[in-house]
Amino acid sequence: MRLFPICLLCLLLAACDSPRQSPTETLGEIESKVQQQDGETWRVVIELPGVELPVQLHLANDFSEAWFSNGIERVQVPEITADGDRLKLRFPHFNNTIELLRSGDQMQGELTLVKLGYEQVMPVSAQRGLEYRYSDSPVPEVNVTGRWETVFTDEEGVDTQAVGVLDQQGSKVTGTFLTPTGDYRYLEGEVSGRKLLLSTFDGAHAFAFSADIDVEGRMQGEFWSGTRSHETWTAVRNFDATLADPYQLTYLKDGFDTVEFSFPNLAGELVSLDSPKFENKVVLVTLSGTWCPNCADEVAFLSEYYDQNRDRGLEVVTLLYEHFEDFDLAAKQGKALRDQFQINFELLIAGISDKTAAAETLPMLNHVLAYPTMIFMDRQGVVRRIHTGFNGPGTGEYYQQFVADFKQEMDGLLAEES
């Protein structure tokens, strides 16, 4: 079936159908809250090494609520601390923080993103009352609506294939890029003249894209992620652009038909698939991390699905690969994730987030290519399929297609007798 270019309506339907405890809310939910309580809109600018990343922040007058917006996405800030003119916005399960000092209509501060073995610190400024993201009156000369065959090239010359799905209404652009390991979630920006600008901040991702569009419609631009990642990219419009089959990228090595492990849960108790809890059950094993927004999208979906289907003989085990080697710190992040999404299945601390090290914990896999990765196991403990990456709700009908395929696969497994 041909998938048509992503559109604003597709994104809106996806957001409105998003699972409970998603880190985002629908426009209706947000508008209801705005009606109940006045607040302020701030134009926040995060300074990356080579570009500015703008994003809108809504802040309740009594500091009881705050959220960032990326198109139709509303990213709630779980923890807000106000002390005089000082404001601290924290995302517990990502372990990231924005600290700001207010002076009249201005705020200055820093964003800190915690990574494996280091921190990224970026200057942040904000101005109250500005309703636009990039500019207040852009005049577009081109329309970028459609699907784009895209290639990202890192500073070592390594290429990554991607598919851009963009929707332009006037000068405003929304959409995302899909890659073999996941999507770049909700992007928002504009076309001004022949230049495309896109960005997102969701508590973990700090992404900024720019591109010039030539007279033949080809894009050439730059992509910044945080303080350390910079890539160039090119794109041509191609309504038939596709990516590799996510079910063919990760697989068991010859001689294996199952996965085996023994990792501690959040209480420090060792858990393995030999436990009676998993006997004669269909088991989903996911490779994840609390720091990973794509993983958060997946775990939000799985949390709801598990609660609705556990009585059919389903168990889910999420292996967390964290930025900390210290168990207590990693377990703290796991508990924050559990509480955020009301998770009732097993969360195990499996190791650090380095993919090479993660692969050593599951030597039966050909590699660990992406977080998240989902392993489907039947009631006999045999691996039936492995899905690499995750197309989240920001991908519109790509997400809807994944959900339909997933439910069909699970219905088949759950219908099988032990």
Side-chain angles (χ1 to χ4, degrees):
M1 180 180 69
R2 181 177 176 180
L3 292 177
F4 291 97
I6 203 165
C7 62
L8 188 59
L9 178 60
C10 296
L11 287 171
L12 183 58
L13 290 173
C16 291
D17 193 36
S18 59
R20 65 172 171 79
Q21 293 304 308
S22 169
T24 67
E25 294 184 287
T26 67
L27 290 176
E29 292 169 333
I30 294 299
E31 289 169 355
S32 175
K33 289 184 177 180
V34 171
Q35 292 170 1
Q36 296 173 20
Q37 181 173 13
D38 293 332
E40 301 174 334
T41 297
W42 294 77
R43 180 177 184 263
V44 175
V45 176
I46 302 168
E47 297 286 344
L48 306 187
V51 69
E52 292 184 343
L53 189 168
V55 63
Q56 292 286 324
L57 167 67
H58 184 89
L59 185 62
N61 288 335
D62 64 356
F63 305 111
S64 61
E65 287 193 293
W67 62 82
F68 291 89
S69 63
N70 302 295
I72 63 170
E73 179 187 44
R74 299 297 183 265
V75 182
Q76 290 286 102
V77 181
E79 290 186 6
I80 306 165
T81 304
D83 182 8
D85 291 328
R86 296 187 178 277
L87 183 66
K88 184 176 182 179
L89 309 176
R90 187 165 181 271
F91 300 85
H93 75 81
F94 292 143
N95 202 28
N96 299 328
T97 305
I98 295 179
E99 296 186 78
L100 296 164
L101 178 63
R102 180 171 178 172
S103 177
D105 292 336
Q106 308 286 329
M107 290 193 288
Q108 301 286 334
E110 290 181 336
L111 163 65
T112 301
L113 302 181
V114 177
K115 303 295 183 179
L116 177 59
Y118 71 100
E119 294 181 348
Q120 294 184 359
V121 180
M122 288 153 273
V124 176
S125 60
Q127 185 170 345
R128 182 170 61 179
L130 298 183
E131 301 287 342
Y132 58 86
R133 195 176 189 101
Y134 278 97
S135 57
D136 57 355
S137 55
V139 179
E141 297 179 14
V142 293
N143 191 300
V144 299
T145 296
R147 192 186 308 181
W148 295 80
E149 184 177 341
T150 308
V151 178
F152 289 94
T153 305
D154 67 20
E155 294 184 341
E156 296 180 354
V158 178
D159 290 342
T160 299
Q161 304 297 315
V163 174
V165 281
L166 303 176
D167 179 72
Q168 183 175 337
Q169 302 294 326
S171 61
K172 183 177 179 179
V173 181
T174 55
T176 193
F177 292 93
L178 293 82
T179 78
T181 58
D183 66 276
Y184 288 160
R185 305 195 76 257
Y186 296 89
L187 306 178
E188 180 185 355
E190 68 180 30
V191 170
S192 181
R194 305 190 68 88
K195 193 171 191 67
L196 170 67
L197 298 168
L198 293 167
S199 63
T200 190
F201 174 70
D202 57 14
H205 286 149
F207 290 169
F209 302 79
S210 64
D212 295 312
I213 308 162
D214 66 22
V215 293
E216 296 181 354
R218 295 172 299 192
M219 295 191 198
Q220 185 166 346
E222 294 184 279
F223 166 46
W224 286 92
S225 172
T227 63
R228 293 199 180 184
S229 178
H230 172 251
E231 298 179 344
T232 58
W233 62 282
T234 58
V236 294
R237 203 188 306 260
N238 179 358
F239 288 98
D240 296 317
T242 59
L243 295 173
D245 184 349
Y247 288 100
Q248 301 297 320
L249 299 175
T250 306
Y251 51 85
L252 293 177
K253 295 176 182 177
D254 289 342
F256 292 94
D257 64 0
T258 190
V259 293
E260 296 178 353
F261 53 77
S262 180
F263 299 123
N265 62 18
L266 302 184
E269 302 161 341
L270 286 178
V271 174
S272 73
L273 295 180
D274 293 333
S275 167
K277 177 178 182 178
F278 304 111
E279 185 176 357
N280 295 327
K281 298 290 184 66
V282 174
V283 180
L284 286 174
V285 177
T286 69
L287 283 60
S288 189
T290 62
W291 46 271
C292 165
N294 292 110
C295 301
D297 286 338
E298 183 187 76
V299 81
F301 167 74
L302 287 178
S303 179
E304 182 175 29
Y305 184 84
Y306 175 70
D307 287 348
Q308 294 173 347
N309 292 276
R310 60 191 303 181
D311 291 341
R312 299 171 66 190
L314 171 68
E315 287 298 334
V316 178
V317 183
T318 290
L319 309 182
L320 295 176
Y321 293 88
E322 292 301 299
H323 288 337
F324 308 101
E325 294 188 73
D326 181 271
F327 173 82
D328 290 337
L329 289 176
K332 179 180 178 181
Q333 292 306 115
K335 292 173 183 176
L337 183 75
R338 178 195 63 194
D339 296 344
Q340 175 75 22
F341 297 105
Q342 298 182 8
I343 298 169
N344 293 313
F345 51 76
E346 291 281 7
L347 298 176
L348 309 183
I349 304 302
I352 61 172
S353 55
D354 176 81
K355 292 177 183 177
T356 300
E360 293 174 356
T361 68
L362 297 171
M364 65 290 299
L365 298 180
N366 65 320
H367 56 207
V368 172
L369 180 62
Y371 301 107
T373 293
M374 185 185 299
I375 303 172
F376 297 74
M377 303 178 65
D378 65 20
R379 295 182 187 273
Q380 286 73 44
V382 175
V383 172
R384 300 285 282 270
R385 301 186 84 184
I386 301 178
H387 185 279
T388 302
F390 188 74
N391 292 330
T395 67
E397 59 185 284
Y398 288 86
Y399 172 70
Q400 300 295 338
Q401 187 64 53
F402 165 80
V403 171
D405 292 343
F406 173 88
K407 289 182 176 179
Q408 182 178 12
E409 177 74 17
M410 292 304 300
D411 285 344
L413 289 175
L414 291 169
E416 294 178 0
E417 296 183 2
S418 60

